[in-house]
Amino acid sequence: MPTEPADTRSRLVEAAFAAFAQSGYRASVSRIAARAGVARQTLYNHFPTKEALFSEAVALAVHRVLVSLEGGGDVRETLLRFAAAYRARVLSPQGLAVFRTLVAEAPRFPHCAQQFFREGPAATRKRLATYLAAAMQAGELRSDDPQFAAEMLTAMLADTDRLRRLFGLAPKRAGEARRCARVVDCFLRAYAPERN
Amino acid sequence: MPTEPADTRSRLVEAAFAAFAQSGYRASVSRIAARAGVARQTLYNHFPTKEALFSEAVALAVHRVLVSLEGGGDVRETLLRFAAAYRARVLSPQGLAVFRTLVAEAPRFPHCAQQFFREGPAATRKRLATYLAAAMQAGELRSDDPQFAAEMLTAMLADTDRLRRLFGLAPKRAGEARRCARVVDCFLRAYAPERN
DNA sequence: CATGGACTGGACTGTCCAGTCCAGTCCAGT
DNA sequence: ACTGGACTGGACTGGACAGTCCAGTCCATG
């Protein structure tokens, strides 16, 4: 093989990921090949069709969407860390671009969209729910459905600002930390342990 | 004019709206004309370009996105009515289709996207915030930033299920009313008046 | 040095589409 | 009965793009 360790194939997938994120499925095969620094025919040596390449690019995206959750410290501290990480991931230009493309193409690539959802947002919420369940058990949070609670927290963290950005409005960059704190405190009020 | 009261022009806009919602901007001019029962040239007699037609279709969509909020009864009842109306609008197949198309095309039609956002989600939240502010004044809700509170409530109402549906997962149709009630009650816990 | 596999790049096909042009039809109001 | 404006429908241009074909290059290995 006359090419460097950075596989031609993975360069192609990477280029496809970037191109699809930027331009949606409209991104042309020629441009993707150019972006990867490769002849168009080479692309077709690795992927039979544009669809196949798209699927592969989505698979790459899937590996980049899980948001971590590290315990340690009290509940509020843990949730604050999670909040910052979640918002950073979801509201980043890349996160939004991937979201945009996948939402647009979900009808044409239902399998990709579902895979992304399950291994991204759904998995993240599941982890969060597990943590919340433990905190409920420990009496640090009101005893309730942890899955539902996780859904509420992630919704409050992302929804408004995601919409704003998706529709092209200014990010309100100031006060990211403050925003996290307000949301987490709102959540903690709703899920404070019942008094006696 | 040889045509019926239902203006050729409005038939075209209606057809464009439906086509763009269904297929995104990919929807072809020919198909839109056919859907309106009209020759392609007639379409071009009314709109100079496809872009112009798209803008017009979005303008139509804008008039369909405001969610009503009727006071009357206590706070919980009012919010429950709002919750049901909001979810019905936002999670309907049409609401989701419009969302999908606009999110996808926002980079190409920033003006349309912003207009939609301002007169849709933003306006709805503004109304809700006004109501919440009054309830806070009346001591029925904890005194706090009403705009932020409105953002939290709308986020909790829509985010999770919108994502689920956008990514092609089953709607969990059962228990719509119950879902509304759970969210509203969660909100009311977070915004209960501070005890003394 | 020879061979084979990966890559190159340009030409080509078929398809779809936006937008233009035009000759003709149909009908409402005068 | 005539006229003008709206609509029709089919032909056409030019461009973009997915996918195919192929003759040739480059290089690592044997």
Side-chain angles (χ1 to χ4, degrees):
Chain A
M1 311 124 185
T3 356
E4 295 90 83
D7 236 355
T8 301
R9 184 187 175 89
S10 39
R11 286 226 313 280
L12 275 167
V13 176
E14 198 69 50
F17 172 83
F20 286 135
Q22 189 181 73
S23 318
Y25 195 68
R26 266 192 279 272
S28 85
V29 170
S30 307
R31 282 198 223 290
I32 293 171
R35 193 165 195 152
V38 133
R40 199 168 64 252
Q41 184 52 42
T42 301
L43 188 154
Y44 281 106
N45 289 343
H46 289 271
F47 306 94
T49 64
K50 190 183 181 183
E51 274 93 356
L53 179 57
F54 185 81
S55 296
E56 207 80 6
V58 171
L60 176 64
V62 163
H63 294 312
R64 298 183 173 171
V65 282
L66 243 177
V67 177
S68 67
L69 191 163
E70 293 141 24
D74 63 18
V75 173
R76 184 165 185 276
E77 284 168 19
T78 301
L79 292 186
L80 280 176
R81 273 199 309 278
F82 172 78
Y86 186 73
R87 281 176 60 89
R89 182 69 54 95
V90 163
L91 302 180
S92 68
Q94 197 188 66
L96 292 169
V98 169
F99 182 88
R100 204 190 294 279
T101 295
L102 269 168
V103 164
E105 299 308 330
R108 294 224 282 168
F109 295 90
H111 186 75
C112 287
Q114 284 169 32
Q115 187 200 357
F116 179 87
F117 180 82
R118 276 197 310 272
E119 301 188 28
T124 297
R125 276 202 287 263
K126 185 79 189 162
R127 286 192 185 188
L128 178 58
T130 304
Y131 172 79
L132 294 177
M136 287 172 182
Q137 277 295 339
E140 297 174 293
L141 291 178
R142 164 201 177 85
S143 215
D144 206 333
D145 179 350
Q147 179 66 32
F148 179 80
E151 291 174 4
M152 295 302 101
L153 179 54
T154 51
M156 290 191 286
L157 283 171
D159 184 69
T160 303
D161 290 317
R162 175 159 46 201
L163 284 198
R164 240 200 284 278
R165 286 166 169 83
L166 282 175
F167 287 101
L169 276 84
K172 262 191 181 180
R173 203 65 206 160
E176 176 63 21
R178 187 166 136 64
R179 178 93 185 173
C180 288
R182 283 177 88 187
V183 171
V184 168
D185 287 335
C186 177
F187 176 80
L188 288 176
R189 287 202 306 279
Y191 282 90
E194 298 172 277
R195 34 183 160 131
N196 320 0
Chain B
M1 309 119 181
T3 356
E4 296 89 84
D7 236 355
T8 301
R9 185 186 176 89
S10 40
R11 286 227 312 279
L12 276 166
V13 177
E14 197 68 50
F17 173 83
F20 286 134
Q22 187 181 74
S23 317
Y25 195 68
R26 265 192 281 272
S28 84
V29 169
S30 307
R31 282 198 224 289
I32 292 171
R35 194 165 193 152
V38 133
R40 197 170 64 252
Q41 185 51 42
T42 300
L43 188 155
Y44 280 106
N45 288 343
H46 288 273
F47 307 94
T49 63
K50 190 183 182 184
E51 275 93 355
L53 179 58
F54 185 80
S55 296
E56 208 79 6
V58 172
L60 176 64
V62 163
H63 294 311
R64 299 184 173 170
V65 281
L66 244 178
V67 177
S68 67
L69 191 163
E70 293 141 23
D74 63 16
V75 173
R76 184 166 187 275
E77 283 168 19
T78 301
L79 292 185
L80 279 176
R81 273 198 309 276
F82 172 78
Y86 186 73
R87 282 175 59 90
R89 182 69 55 95
V90 163
L91 301 179
S92 70
Q94 197 189 64
L96 292 168
V98 169
F99 183 88
R100 203 189 295 278
T101 295
L102 269 168
V103 164
E105 299 308 329
R108 294 224 283 169
F109 295 89
H111 186 74
C112 288
Q114 285 169 33
Q115 187 199 358
F116 179 86
F117 179 82
R118 276 197 310 272
E119 303 189 27
T124 297
R125 277 201 288 264
K126 186 79 189 162
R127 286 191 185 189
L128 177 58
T130 303
Y131 172 79
L132 294 176
M136 288 171 181
Q137 277 294 340
E140 296 174 295
L141 290 178
R142 165 201 176 86
S143 215
D144 205 334
D145 179 349
Q147 179 67 32
F148 179 79
E151 291 174 4
M152 295 303 100
L153 179 54
T154 51
M156 289 191 287
L157 283 171
D159 184 70
T160 304
D161 290 316
R162 175 158 47 201
L163 285 198
R164 239 200 285 278
R165 286 167 169 83
L166 281 175
F167 287 100
L169 277 84
K172 261 190 181 180
R173 203 66 207 160
E176 176 61 23
R178 188 167 137 63
R179 178 93 185 174
C180 288
R182 284 177 87 185
V183 170
V184 168
D185 288 335
C186 176
F187 176 80
L188 289 176
R189 286 202 306 278
Y191 282 91
E194 298 172 276
R195 34 182 162 130
N196 321 358

